[in-house]
Amino acid sequence: MNLQTGEYYWPTTFSSPPSYPSLNSDEDCDVLIIGGGGSGAQCAYYLADKGLNVIVVEKEKVGCGTTSTNTALIQYMGEKLFINLVHTFGEEYISRHLQLCKQAIDEIEQASQSGGIDADFKRRDTLYFASCPEDVQKLEEEYLFLKAHQFPLDFLSEEEIGKKYPFKKPAAIYSYNDAELNPFKFAHTLFACAAEKGVKIFEQTEVNGKKFENGGATIRTKTGHTIKAKKVIIAAGYEGMEFKKEKKASFVSTYSVVTNPVSDLSAWHNQTLIWETARPYLFARTTADQRIIIGGLDEDTFYAEERDSKLMHKKEQLIHDFQKLFPSIQVQAEYYSAAFYGGTVDGLPIIGEYDEYPNTHFLFGFGDNGTVYSMILAKIIAELVVNGSSPDAELYYQHRPLLAKHSLT
């Protein structure tokens, strides 16, 4: 599956990450995690101190898949407005989801300090602006919903935006206590923490055979070794779809650039995370070394050749659109990429459980808040593995309720 192409920034920020051996013997374990990216790391982190024999396999090097193109804006708000989610699922349902997003950000902050590798986690505010006057009413409704649920945020007028930034927009939600991080370092610090607690991690270990039965699973690697596991977690990001095609998942192509370091960011109020209501949207954030990540301009295509053919044009357009917002911050693209981006048709991430894969949990943390969603799902899946149940699992199963009148009680 050709997931991405381009020049990747995150691996350059950590030139000598921990490395792990490839599997060279048969193994038995309580839990096998397939996937050595961010979501696999989050699962390993939550299972590391549960007294279980846990193995992780990654077909390449840890963090070198879509983790390398994750732009890692850590937010509780997502592409689909909470007020729209309420119309589908009901207020009680979405209020709990909202609280879990907030908790996940706190736990990401705590986890980022767990493995002795600085993941460059930093709290940031977010400016979410209306791209056109027609979007103001919905943005205000979103603000009132979040305010009613005790979230710290302000609603800014066009004039108030202009006082803080070198641009004006019709209105904006200004929210507090979101964050940014380095997803490559984050995956490595979680794996380092898990390895220290006894989790076995194998790189360059590709799965090419699998047998799932009620008593457990037998996984065969490309080198001919087998792993027998009582339970399996497939946390392989978008490549999890190669195991099971989930009908609620949808894909588009997305683009991003990382600029040269910028010496003066004083025009950028608080170096907030920035995104907008337009679809496709533009977003921007800064990095620990004062670069700027600009992304978005999604395209409805799932053909790698078509996606990649637009990369150079999209790179220039992203820089151009950013300069319209910040004309005094002169930048050029030093890294740029095109990648597939997964979402879901109803706006919530998915824990997949399927009859043909007994004792197996699929982590589909798809959406624009992938790191946050994966943290939620990894914790729930760990609870399912250890306790056999989780009070929040029903929120995210692929067969979740779709009617607003549904009650969780």
Side-chain angles (χ1 to χ4, degrees):
M1 190 173 184
N2 181 350
L3 293 173
Q4 58 200 33
T5 191
E7 302 287 334
Y8 310 133
Y9 165 66
W10 295 122
T12 70
T13 67
F14 195 21
S15 58
S16 299
S19 61
Y20 301 93
S22 58
L23 183 68
N24 58 13
S25 63
D26 295 341
E27 295 280 347
D28 291 86
C29 63
D30 296 312
V31 186
L32 172 64
I33 300 170
I34 299 176
S39 58
Q42 288 162 314
C43 290
Y45 170 78
Y46 279 120
L47 287 169
D49 58 357
K50 299 300 187 289
L52 298 172
N53 180 0
V54 180
I55 290 176
V56 179
V57 294
E58 163 56 41
K59 72 175 185 178
E60 296 177 354
K61 300 287 286 182
V62 162
C64 286
T66 54
T67 301
S68 295
T69 55
N70 181 355
T71 50
L73 283 74
I74 309 302
Q75 302 168 298
Y76 57 87
M77 286 193 291
E79 178 177 352
K80 196 160 189 175
L81 295 175
F82 285 108
I83 55 172
N84 291 338
L85 291 173
V86 167
H87 291 157
T88 303
F89 295 100
E91 185 166 351
E92 179 187 1
Y93 196 114
I94 296 307
S95 295
R96 180 57 183 161
H97 169 63
L98 178 56
Q99 290 298 326
L100 290 173
C101 289
K102 183 178 183 297
Q103 290 175 19
I105 296 175
D106 294 339
E107 295 191 20
I108 288 169
E109 180 175 23
Q110 181 180 355
S112 70
Q113 303 163 2
S114 65
I117 299 167
D118 184 0
D120 298 330
F121 181 96
K122 188 174 181 61
R123 290 284 180 171
R124 293 288 190 198
D125 301 336
T126 293
L127 183 79
Y128 180 31
F129 65 76
S131 305
C132 61
E134 291 77 12
D135 292 340
V136 173
Q137 182 178 346
K138 280 196 171 183
L139 205 60
E140 188 168 11
E141 291 173 3
E142 183 82 343
Y143 162 77
L144 292 172
F145 174 79
L146 293 168
K147 198 73 173 176
H149 287 79
Q150 310 302 312
F151 277 74
L153 69 170
D154 298 319
F155 194 79
L156 303 184
S157 66
E158 181 175 8
E159 183 180 357
E160 289 170 322
I161 296 168
K163 289 179 180 179
K164 295 178 182 294
Y165 297 90
F167 55 84
K168 289 186 177 182
K169 297 295 176 179
I173 292 176
Y174 188 98
S175 58
Y176 299 88
N177 294 323
D178 287 330
E180 64 188 27
L181 58 66
N182 180 323
F184 186 74
K185 289 183 177 180
F186 183 58
H188 274 288
T189 199
L190 296 190
F191 277 129
C193 176
E196 187 176 339
K197 295 179 179 180
V199 173
K200 298 177 183 177
I201 302 166
F202 298 103
E203 297 180 318
Q204 308 287 359
T205 301
E206 184 173 354
V207 171
N208 75 338
K210 51 193 180 295
K211 184 178 182 181
F212 292 85
E213 300 174 309
N214 288 329
T218 301
I219 303 299
R220 186 176 68 253
T221 70
K222 201 169 184 179
T223 56
H225 298 295
T226 61
I227 304 171
K228 293 185 177 181
K230 296 176 183 176
K231 295 184 180 294
V232 177
I233 301 171
I234 297 178
Y238 303 145
E239 290 183 294
M241 296 282 283
E242 295 183 354
F243 285 80
K244 174 65 179 181
K245 292 190 182 299
E246 169 50 56
K247 62 183 180 181
K248 280 190 172 68
S250 60
F251 288 86
V252 298
S253 296
T254 193
Y255 303 86
S256 64
V257 301
V258 183
T259 72
N260 55 293
V262 177
S263 59
D264 183 7
L265 290 169
S266 59
W268 191 330
H269 177 71
N270 288 344
Q271 291 178 226
T272 48
L273 311 179
I274 293 176
W275 62 303
E276 63 174 329
T277 58
R279 299 292 182 267
Y281 56 76
L282 182 82
F283 64 83
R285 56 156 288 194
T286 57
T287 67
D289 61 349
Q290 299 289 90
R291 297 175 188 270
I292 299 167
I293 300 175
I294 313 160
L297 302 182
D298 299 351
E299 291 273 351
D300 288 326
T301 178
F302 192 57
Y303 296 98
E305 296 81 4
E306 183 180 352
R307 175 200 70 197
D308 296 348
S309 70
K310 300 180 179 181
L311 176 55
M312 301 311 290
H313 170 70
K314 295 287 188 177
K315 177 188 75 169
E316 298 302 325
Q317 187 177 349
L318 286 167
I319 294 293
H320 175 265
D321 290 351
F322 175 80
Q323 299 283 197
K324 287 171 64 177
L325 295 175
F326 294 98
S328 68
I329 303 177
Q330 295 299 308
V331 293
Q332 58 187 18
E334 290 194 355
Y335 304 89
Y336 45 91
S337 63
F340 287 138
Y341 159 72
T344 62
V345 295
D346 62 14
L348 294 183
I350 296 168
I351 295 173
E353 293 189 358
Y354 309 98
D355 291 342
E356 64 268 38
Y357 292 96
N359 302 303
T360 299
H361 306 281
F362 285 75
L363 194 162
F364 293 131
F366 297 171
D368 47 316
N369 277 348
T371 303
V372 174
Y373 293 161
S374 291
M375 201 71 179
I376 296 171
L377 301 192
K379 185 177 183 180
I380 292 173
I381 289 171
E383 292 171 350
L384 292 171
V385 168
V386 174
N387 303 323
S389 64
S390 168
D392 295 309
E394 286 288 342
L395 295 171
Y396 302 109
Y397 283 140
Q398 80 275 10
H399 53 263
R400 59 221 179 191
L402 293 176
L403 297 178
K405 66 181 181 181
H406 175 80
S407 172
L408 294 178
T409 59

